[in-house]
Amino acid sequence: MCIRDRCSVSMVIRYNIMYGNKGCCGKFLLLLPAIIAQVFIIYAVFGYFRYFLTTVSKRGFKILLTIVMGFLSKIFELSYLLTIFINPGSIDPEWSNKNLKNVKLKSDSDREEYAQLYPSVDVSAGEGRYDYCFKCHTVKPERAHHCSSCNKCYLKMDHHCPWMGNCIGLYNHKYFLKTLLFGTILGIMMIATWSKDVFKMMIADEGDTTYRRTTLELTIILTSYMLSAVLLLSCLIMLIDQSYLAFHNTTSVEQRVYGTDKNPYDHHDTVRNLEDVFGANKCSWLAPCPPNFKGDGYHFSKIGKESIANYSTMEGECLGETIDAINTCLLYTSPSPRDRTRSRMPSSACKKKKKKK
């Protein structure tokens, strides 16, 4: 089953899968920071539209700015909500049951506990391909990790974002990056177009009917302006960090474990790396549609067959083998000294030599 089929509408608003066995209070506490963030964002956008756009004198500029800011705010909110409510990528129980014999257990205590959970499964060696999560009792494919907040393992988990109330995983990573991108653009537009008027409102005299505001209105305007600045800074900082990880096809968890130099999933091609986040169809990267990945979400292509710990050594060996292969190819394909002499002779000299013969 391809990932595009898994990213269906049925994955939206499935709290029972997203939050495991947590009760209503646990779900609410997870979503509380996201609710607070949404209230602040709506407050900032409301203050901008109510106390700035309505006061723009130039009609053409007012209409254009209203359309642009309306589009940015809507696409930002849509990406935000999709990041919150789309399942990051729960592991299929059928896939987990099929790979119970293909797990690697690191210690004897893990083998004993695993034998108690699955008496009929023989994993005495414990040298399989996948890890096993004893917290949520599921086989973890590569790049999958356990989230202690959600109490579940997710495919290609990046991190748990409290401001989203959800984990950032394989299926909603695209929407998370879009939220940061459009949030940054929205914050830049609000600060750039509003700063001059806000400053004039703060220093306006009592006789200035254009920029003079009441104490309540000025409080709302300053609060909205400060929230816009907070939105810009927070989204920009996270966008820089997450863009760096996406450009190298790694996650926050993998960055702490492997670093960038030993990342086996980096294709050394920015576009190819971004396809693993946004999908193969580049035209739908910014569209609010599920990413159409090429893989299945459980297996990922690597740049080498060696282990991650031996990646640097493997890279040097591959480089040496490539150089040896090139030298061997040149040795067998290089022309003889006689041929090289002929190649250096001008065409007229070659004709004279043929006539003498």
Side-chain angles (χ1 to χ4, degrees):
M1 183 182 296
C2 64
I3 293 183
R4 189 173 184 179
D5 295 335
R6 298 176 188 271
C7 286
S8 57
V9 182
S10 61
M11 299 178 65
V12 181
I13 318 181
R14 288 169 59 180
Y15 292 102
N16 56 332
I17 294 180
M18 291 168 56
Y19 300 113
N21 298 324
K22 292 182 178 292
C24 295
C25 294
K27 297 173 186 178
F28 176 76
L29 291 177
L30 282 177
L31 288 174
L32 183 59
I35 296 173
I36 295 175
Q38 282 290 309
V39 171
F40 287 161
I41 292 170
I42 294 174
Y43 184 91
V45 174
F46 167 77
Y48 179 84
F49 275 84
R50 173 64 180 83
Y51 294 101
F52 173 69
L53 285 181
T54 56
T55 60
V56 176
S57 57
K58 297 181 180 180
R59 183 178 180 183
F61 179 71
K62 180 179 180 179
I63 295 175
L64 177 63
L65 196 59
T66 303
I67 295 174
V68 172
M69 297 302 293
F71 172 77
L72 288 176
S73 60
K74 294 297 187 298
I75 197 69
F76 168 70
E77 281 293 331
L78 178 61
S79 301
Y80 201 120
L81 294 176
L82 288 174
T83 307
I84 293 175
F85 294 117
I86 282 186
N87 188 344
S90 298
I91 300 174
D92 189 1
E94 296 182 0
W95 182 92
S96 178
N97 295 330
K98 291 179 181 179
N99 291 275
L100 289 175
K101 296 181 179 180
N102 196 16
V103 297
K104 51 184 177 182
L105 305 173
K106 301 178 181 179
S107 61
D108 295 335
S109 59
D110 291 343
R111 294 189 184 95
E112 293 177 0
E113 185 176 356
Y114 193 83
Q116 294 177 0
L117 293 172
Y118 308 100
S120 60
V121 180
D122 183 16
V123 287
S124 56
E127 298 178 355
R129 179 178 180 181
Y130 306 109
D131 292 327
Y132 184 81
C133 181
F134 289 95
K135 296 179 181 179
C136 57
H137 301 291
T138 185
V139 179
K140 294 193 301 183
E142 54 180 326
R143 310 191 77 176
H145 300 282
H146 182 83
C147 175
S148 57
S149 299
C150 299
N151 194 26
K152 284 185 70 66
C153 288
Y154 291 116
L155 299 173
K156 196 185 175 184
M157 174 187 166
D158 188 271
H159 69 286
H160 180 87
C161 183
W163 300 109
M164 300 292 175
N166 194 8
C167 278
I168 307 302
L170 182 68
Y171 297 131
N172 64 347
H173 199 179
K174 167 187 174 179
Y175 304 111
F176 179 69
L177 289 175
K178 286 176 56 181
T179 302
L180 300 179
L181 175 63
F182 289 114
T184 302
I185 299 175
L186 180 64
I188 292 174
M189 291 292 295
M190 293 174 67
I191 295 298
T193 57
W194 205 9
S195 297
K196 182 179 179 180
D197 287 11
V198 170
F199 179 75
K200 289 183 178 180
M201 291 175 189
M202 293 176 61
I203 62 175
D205 298 330
E206 294 183 359
D208 191 349
T209 58
T210 304
Y211 294 100
R212 184 64 180 174
R213 295 291 185 272
T214 62
T215 304
L216 177 60
E217 291 177 342
L218 189 60
T219 303
I220 296 175
I221 292 171
L222 292 178
T223 307
S224 302
Y225 184 80
M226 292 177 61
L227 290 176
S228 303
V230 171
L231 172 66
L232 171 60
L233 292 177
S234 58
C235 289
L236 180 61
I237 293 173
M238 289 189 291
L239 179 63
I240 294 173
D241 177 66
Q242 289 294 315
S243 298
Y244 176 81
L245 298 178
F247 290 158
H248 292 84
N249 196 10
T250 186
T251 62
S252 300
V253 178
E254 295 169 351
Q255 177 73 8
R256 292 193 297 267
V257 176
Y258 308 138
T260 304
D261 298 333
K262 298 182 179 181
N263 175 26
Y265 303 103
D266 189 358
H267 301 288
H268 300 284
D269 183 0
T270 303
V271 177
R272 179 67 182 87
N273 290 335
L274 290 177
E275 287 180 354
D276 287 350
V277 178
F278 292 94
N281 187 8
K282 301 178 182 60
C283 297
S284 63
W285 280 9
L286 297 180
C289 59
N292 54 341
F293 298 111
K294 294 181 179 179
D296 58 356
Y298 293 82
H299 306 89
F300 298 89
S301 59
K302 298 181 180 180
I303 60 175
K305 296 181 180 180
E306 299 294 332
S307 61
I308 296 175
N310 299 326
Y311 170 73
S312 299
T313 306
M314 178 204 68
E315 188 178 27
E317 292 175 354
C318 292
L319 180 60
E321 293 174 0
T322 305
I323 295 175
D324 293 339
I326 294 173
N327 292 334
T328 304
C329 181
L330 292 176
L331 178 63
Y332 284 98
T333 59
S334 59
S336 61
R338 185 177 178 182
D339 296 333
R340 287 197 294 267
T341 304
R342 288 181 177 177
S343 63
R344 294 194 189 101
M345 293 173 62
S347 59
S348 59
C350 293
K351 292 178 180 180
K352 290 180 181 179
K353 192 172 181 181
K354 288 182 180 178
K355 289 181 179 179
K356 289 181 180 180
K357 289 183 179 179

